[in-house]
């Protein structure tokens, strides 16, 4: 399996609640959704999967590597090379243009940003004309697509998205998911989305349901 | 996209605060640079002009005053020296070369120095146009005097009594410009030179009625001429007495000069000669090397105070840079968290912030150097007439690399704390707080 979650639990410092997560396996190239209500720990699980948060116990394996055994710097490199993350807020760097935001993803992992790759992604996501604009000059939808392009910049083997449709109406949510599924397929990327939005479940091959720990 | 590009983008975002950092650093560096240029050039002038002179002998008084008037022509002389006393001093075995100085008159505020051609040669004075004096009342002028006053060869000058403008003129004694000196960068550029005999001629006139003189102005009690003497007769008479060594002739024993510039014949002279002069004669001996050191240390107190102000400005700029970057880190916390989430190593975030600090301090340093040089050049031009020394801003001094390096280092130090803070950005907590 490409991703394996084993006996995972997480407890935040100062919290009395321990979040248990079901053992999960995700095949390479699959589309997988982590579905749960607010507070169920789906975003926490996604962050653990991304190596942004170390679990209290359990193991996370990605492409044969156990994240918990990696040093911080090795984990940084692994995340930058192999993972793309689309956050709930787009979090584009405001002082940089869209193409610079994409180039930044390459710079952060020590790669030379390919202009060709940048334009390919921006064209695929239909925001090429906005390449030289700053995030503040784009619509919310364009910014969201730009954040997907940035996440795909380093050709990650897994694309993680946290509540990407939470602020969208039905039609826009469907439209967005179609685009995300399409681009993850074309990039041959495993797609894992954490969401409470049951509307988008039909776009996925597998669902992991997370229960409210209380 | 390089780390440098990211740092520049962030500087452009906070251009107001960054400009303040740069301006503060510039003013501090400019102050230090200006002081460096001023003090280095001032010291150079002091030592360069005193080259070849081991000791100055003159009337008793302030040793610094004797040095300032005898070597730099900046102050009033301490008094007069009788030729007989001068001869007594010159007989000492430690005495090597001796140059007499006869001061006391000026032309348009430019000092007239009565001496010998050997003195002029020792000061690097080389005639560029015309020739050296052939008679008393012939003068050669420094290059600055020629350019500033438009004086040409063959022009006549009327000297005034005293060293400042506004003194009583000596219209009966026209001096003729026979030569213009090459530029030396020394005090010679701003002086008028003539034989010692000229000074005696200027002051010998009076029909038996002696002029009233301040201390330090040469007296010509012999060779007095009546008021009715024509200028031709005056020049003829002066020509008769002129010769390179005639100032030592016995018939001039009752005359006076202002000072003697002496170089020792032996290094032991420094130990013996001043004591001899100060104890055995009515004169005093002052060593330029010692007095210059004393003068520089006296002036150094004032310079250090200004330097401290400059350093304070630089430290203020460092503090302002630190505060500005700390605030910026607060504003950029999400950006930094995203960079870390994208795989950016901690050291990269550290470097981005450090580059920003170094760029600002380097820019401040460069602007400060330019400002310091500009100010020095302006001062050199604006106060050129009031100074005996020439100062320029168009000169690079090796220590300026240290100033620039210091500015960069201070900027880097100011950037370290914000850079550490950037590197320690907690990804999950920061991003989670943005989602809540």
């Amino acid at each position: 399996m490409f991703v394996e979650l084993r006996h995972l639990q997480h407890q935040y410092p100062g919290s009395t609640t321990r979040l248990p997560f079901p053992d999960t396996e995700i095949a390479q190239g699959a589309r997988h959704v982590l579905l749960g209500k607010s507070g169920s720990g789906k975003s926490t699980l996604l962050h653990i999967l991304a190596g942004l948060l170390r679990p209290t116990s359990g193991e996370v394996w990605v492409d044969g590597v156990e994240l918990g055994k990696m040093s911080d710097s090795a984990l940084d490199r692994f995340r930058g090379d192999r993972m793309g993350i689309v956050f709930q807020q787009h979090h584009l760097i405001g002082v940089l243009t869209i193409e610079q935001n994409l180039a930044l993803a390459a710079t952060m992992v020590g790669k030379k940003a390919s202009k060709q790759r940048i334009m390919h992604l921006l064209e695929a996501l239909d925001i090429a004309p906005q390449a030289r604009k700053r995030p503040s000059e784009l619509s919310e939808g364009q910014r969201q697509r730009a954040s997907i392009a940035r996440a795909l910049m380093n050709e990650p083997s897994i694309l993680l998205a946290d509540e990407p449709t939470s602020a969208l109406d039905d039609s826009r949510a469907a439209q967005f998911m179609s685009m995300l599924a399409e681009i993850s397929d074309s990039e041959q990327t495993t797609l894992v989305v954490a969401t409470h939005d049951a509307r988008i479940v039909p776009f996925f091959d597998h669902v992991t349901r997370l229960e409210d720990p209380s | 996209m390089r780390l440098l590009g990211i740092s520049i983008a962030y500087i452009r975002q906070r251009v107001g605060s960054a400009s303040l950092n740069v301006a503060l650093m510039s003013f501090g560096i400019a102050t230090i640079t200006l002081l460096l240029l001023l003090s280095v050039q001032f010291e150079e002038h002091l030592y360069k002009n005193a080259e070849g002179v081991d000791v100055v002998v003159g009337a008793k008084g302030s040793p610094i005053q004797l040095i300032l008037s005898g070597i730099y022509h900046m102050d009033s002389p301490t008094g007069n020296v009788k030729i007989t006393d001068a001869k007594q001093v010159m007989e000492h075995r430690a005495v090597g070369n001796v140059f007499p100085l006869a001061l006391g008159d000026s032309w348009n505020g430019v000092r007239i120095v009565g001496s010998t051609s050997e003195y002029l040669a020792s000061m690097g004075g080389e005639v560029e146009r015309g020739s050296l004096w052939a008679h008393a009342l012939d003068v050669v002028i420094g290059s600055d005097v020629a350019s500033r006053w438009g004086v040409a060869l063959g022009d006549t000058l009327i000297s005034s009594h005293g060293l400042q403008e506004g003194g009583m003129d000596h219209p009966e004694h026209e001096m003729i410009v026979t030569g213009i000196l090459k530029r030396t960068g020394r005090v010679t550029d701003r002086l008028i030179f003539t034989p010692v005999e000229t000074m005696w001629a200027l002051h010998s006139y009076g029909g038996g009625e002696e002029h009233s003189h301040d201390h330090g102005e040469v007296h010509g009690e012999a060779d007095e001429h009546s008021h009715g003497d024509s200028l031709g007769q005056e020049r003829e008479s002066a020509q008769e007495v002129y010769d390179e060594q005639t100032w030592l002739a016995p018939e001039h024993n009752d005359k006076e000069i202002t000072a003697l510039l002496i170089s020792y014949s032996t290094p032991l002279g420094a130990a013996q000669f001043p004591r001899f002069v100060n104890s055995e004669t009515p004169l005093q001996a002052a060593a330029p090397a010692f007095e210059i050191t004393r003068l520089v240390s006296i002036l150094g107190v004032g310079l250090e105070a200004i330097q401290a102000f400059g350093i304070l400005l630089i430290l203020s700029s460092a503090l302002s840079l630190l505060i500005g970057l700390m605030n910026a880190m607060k504003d950029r916390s999400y950006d930094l968290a995203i960079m870390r989430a994208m795989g950016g190593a901690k050291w990269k975030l550290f470097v981005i912030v450090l580059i920003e600090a170094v760029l600002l301090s380097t820019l401040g340093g460069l602007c400060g150097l330019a400002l310091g040089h500009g100010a020095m050049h302006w001062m050199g031009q604006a106060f050129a007439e009031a100074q005996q020394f020439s100062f320029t801003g168009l000169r690079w001094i090796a220590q300026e690399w240290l100033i620039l390096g210091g500015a960069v280092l201070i900027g880097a130090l100011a950037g370290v704390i914000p850079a550490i803070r950037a590197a320690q950005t907690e990804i999950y907590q920061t991003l989670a707080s943005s989602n809540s």
Side-chain angles (χ1 to χ4, degrees):
Chain A
M1 278 295 148
F2 185 65
V3 176
E4 290 179 59
L5 309 178
R6 296 178 192 160
H7 319 301
L8 266 186
Q9 290 194 337
H10 188 69
Q11 185 171 0
Y12 286 104
S15 169
T16 54
T17 309
R18 181 170 281 228
L19 294 167
F21 300 108
D23 287 358
T24 306
E25 292 183 345
I26 302 170
Q28 187 162 17
R31 291 187 214 154
H32 198 105
V33 63
L34 306 171
L35 189 65
K37 291 179 182 170
S38 180
S40 61
K42 56 189 181 301
S43 288
T44 301
L45 181 57
L46 193 81
H47 284 97
I48 289 172
L49 188 52
L52 297 173
L53 194 62
R54 290 191 184 268
T56 309
S57 63
E59 294 172 7
V60 179
W61 292 77
V62 176
D63 201 10
V65 178
E66 193 194 345
L67 302 188
K69 290 195 172 160
M70 297 174 88
S71 66
D72 284 350
S73 57
L75 195 54
D76 287 342
R77 270 200 306 277
F78 185 80
R79 187 171 55 244
D81 278 336
R82 311 289 293 276
M83 297 177 178
I85 309 171
V86 179
F87 294 97
Q88 194 172 347
Q89 309 286 331
H90 57 75
H91 286 311
L92 293 164
I93 308 291
V95 296
L96 304 178
T97 62
I98 296 304
E99 64 179 347
Q100 286 174 332
N101 265 279
L102 267 64
L104 180 68
T107 303
M108 284 295 116
V109 291
K111 289 181 182 169
K112 188 167 165 47
S114 155
K115 181 86 178 170
Q116 206 177 355
R117 172 75 179 157
I118 291 171
M119 290 319 292
H120 164 73
L121 287 169
L122 294 181
E123 277 163 13
L125 289 159
D126 202 22
I127 48 169
Q130 278 70 40
R132 298 274 171 97
K133 290 183 180 170
R134 292 185 193 285
S136 59
E137 298 172 86
L138 271 59
S139 69
E140 187 57 34
Q142 287 172 328
R143 282 197 286 264
Q144 200 165 28
R145 276 179 273 162
S147 72
I148 295 170
R150 183 180 63 185
L152 291 169
M153 181 64 198
N154 293 333
E155 301 179 61
S157 45
I158 181 166
L159 180 62
L160 308 168
D162 187 16
E163 298 279 15
T165 57
S166 60
L168 303 180
D169 59 29
D170 289 355
S171 67
R172 282 173 187 246
Q175 203 177 1
F176 177 81
M177 277 315 302
S178 295
M179 181 189 65
L180 190 63
E182 193 181 321
I183 192 132
S184 64
D185 283 349
S186 69
E187 293 285 323
Q188 297 176 315
T189 305
T190 304
L191 177 64
V192 180
V193 172
T195 185
H196 72 281
D197 189 354
R199 295 175 299 176
I200 64 171
V201 171
F203 289 93
F204 294 89
D205 310 324
H206 306 278
V207 180
T208 297
R209 293 181 191 278
L210 301 173
E211 302 302 327
D212 189 338
S214 59
Chain B
M1 187 86 220
R2 293 178 179 172
L3 300 184
L4 176 68
I6 301 168
S7 302
I8 291 172
Y10 278 119
I11 289 173
R12 287 170 67 180
Q13 184 199 28
R14 56 180 202 98
V15 70
S17 150
S19 301
L20 179 69
N21 299 150
V22 171
L24 274 171
M25 181 66 83
S26 295
F27 290 139
I29 295 293
T31 307
I32 302 283
T33 304
L34 181 62
L35 284 176
L36 177 71
L37 289 170
L38 193 65
S39 60
V40 165
Q41 292 184 60
F42 183 66
E43 273 192 55
E44 277 178 3
H45 280 302
L46 286 178
Y47 286 105
K48 195 174 170 186
N49 282 291
E51 271 173 19
V53 180
D54 292 323
V55 67
V56 181
V57 174
K60 284 195 188 296
S62 158
I64 284 187
Q65 190 183 344
L66 181 59
I67 297 292
L68 288 177
S69 63
I71 293 180
Y72 307 110
H73 303 277
M74 293 172 97
D75 200 350
S76 299
T78 50
N80 294 325
V81 175
K82 287 183 178 165
I83 292 290
T84 47
D85 292 335
K87 284 180 176 172
Q88 184 193 352
V89 165
M90 289 167 68
E91 281 165 9
H92 193 279
R93 64 176 184 276
V95 173
N97 292 326
V98 181
F99 308 119
L101 280 185
L103 310 172
D105 276 36
S106 61
W107 174 79
N108 280 350
V110 179
R111 296 187 179 210
I112 300 170
V113 180
S115 189
T116 61
S117 59
E118 289 167 341
Y119 167 68
L120 198 52
S122 78
M123 295 284 284
E126 199 178 324
V127 176
E128 186 175 50
R129 281 175 284 161
S131 59
L132 198 63
W133 52 73
H135 314 99
L137 295 175
D138 286 351
V139 296
V140 294
I141 61 175
S143 60
D144 286 359
V145 180
S147 58
R148 184 185 161 200
W149 298 98
V151 180
L153 293 175
D155 282 359
T156 55
L157 310 177
I158 304 288
S159 73
S160 300
H161 195 60
L163 300 174
Q164 306 295 328
E165 280 184 271
M168 189 182 72
D169 285 350
H170 295 287
E172 306 79 11
H173 302 290
E174 285 186 341
M175 300 180 298
I176 295 180
V177 178
T178 62
I180 297 171
L181 298 174
K182 269 187 188 168
R183 184 166 177 75
T184 61
R186 297 167 77 161
V187 72
T188 47
D189 295 338
R190 292 158 187 243
L191 296 173
I192 295 171
F193 296 91
T194 188
V196 173
E197 288 80 355
T198 300
M199 307 306 280
W200 288 335
L202 291 174
H203 294 88
S204 64
Y205 150 80
E209 184 187 330
E210 200 176 305
H211 293 290
S212 64
H213 296 286
D214 293 334
H215 284 294
E217 294 161 3
V218 292
H219 291 219
E221 288 160 4
D223 295 334
E224 290 183 349
H225 299 262
S226 70
H227 279 292
D229 283 351
S230 68
L231 179 64
Q233 287 172 315
E234 187 69 51
R235 293 189 60 76
E236 195 177 322
S237 172
Q239 186 175 358
E240 282 171 11
V241 297
Y242 175 69
D243 185 86
E244 194 66 9
Q245 293 301 323
T246 50
W247 69 280
L248 288 170
E251 62 266 30
H252 299 314
N253 279 353
D254 54 351
K255 292 184 178 146
E256 293 176 327
I257 56 172
T258 308
L260 292 170
L261 306 182
I262 294 172
S263 63
Y264 294 130
S265 59
T266 161
L268 292 175
Q272 304 161 347
F273 184 72
R275 196 182 308 151
F276 157 74
V277 173
N278 294 331
S279 60
E280 304 291 324
T281 73
L283 306 174
Q284 69 163 333
F290 177 76
E291 298 303 331
I292 289 170
T293 307
R294 208 153 70 93
L295 184 66
V296 168
S297 74
I298 291 167
L299 293 173
V301 177
L303 291 178
E304 279 167 14
I306 303 171
Q307 197 174 30
F309 176 69
I311 290 170
L312 196 67
L313 277 176
I314 292 171
L315 292 177
S316 304
S317 76
L319 190 65
S320 139
L321 187 59
L322 172 67
I323 293 168
L325 283 173
M326 287 302 276
N327 287 332
M329 291 309 105
K330 227 180 284 176
D331 298 339
R332 275 180 225 167
S333 58
Y334 299 136
D335 289 6
L336 295 166
I338 283 293
M339 287 182 207
R340 292 275 293 116
M342 285 193 295
K346 290 181 176 180
W347 69 263
K348 284 194 176 171
L349 272 61
F350 181 91
V351 169
I352 288 170
V353 178
L354 204 63
I355 289 175
E356 194 175 334
V358 168
L359 278 178
L360 289 175
S361 59
T362 304
L363 188 62
L366 290 172
C367 289
L369 287 175
L371 201 61
H373 277 266
M376 182 72 260
H377 199 66
W378 176 79
M379 282 171 66
Q381 302 281 316
F383 303 114
E385 293 172 11
Q387 300 161 176
Q388 282 299 48
F389 299 154
S390 58
F391 293 95
T392 178
L394 304 176
R395 183 180 161 188
W396 180 263
I397 292 167
Q399 290 99 308
E400 289 179 67
W401 289 115
L402 290 177
I403 294 178
L404 186 60
V408 174
L409 184 67
I410 285 174
L413 288 174
V416 164
I417 295 174
I420 290 172
R421 186 170 166 170
Q424 288 176 337
T425 300
E426 288 290 341
I427 310 172
Y428 180 75
Q429 285 168 1
T430 309
L431 294 177
S433 71
S434 76
N435 292 338
S436 58

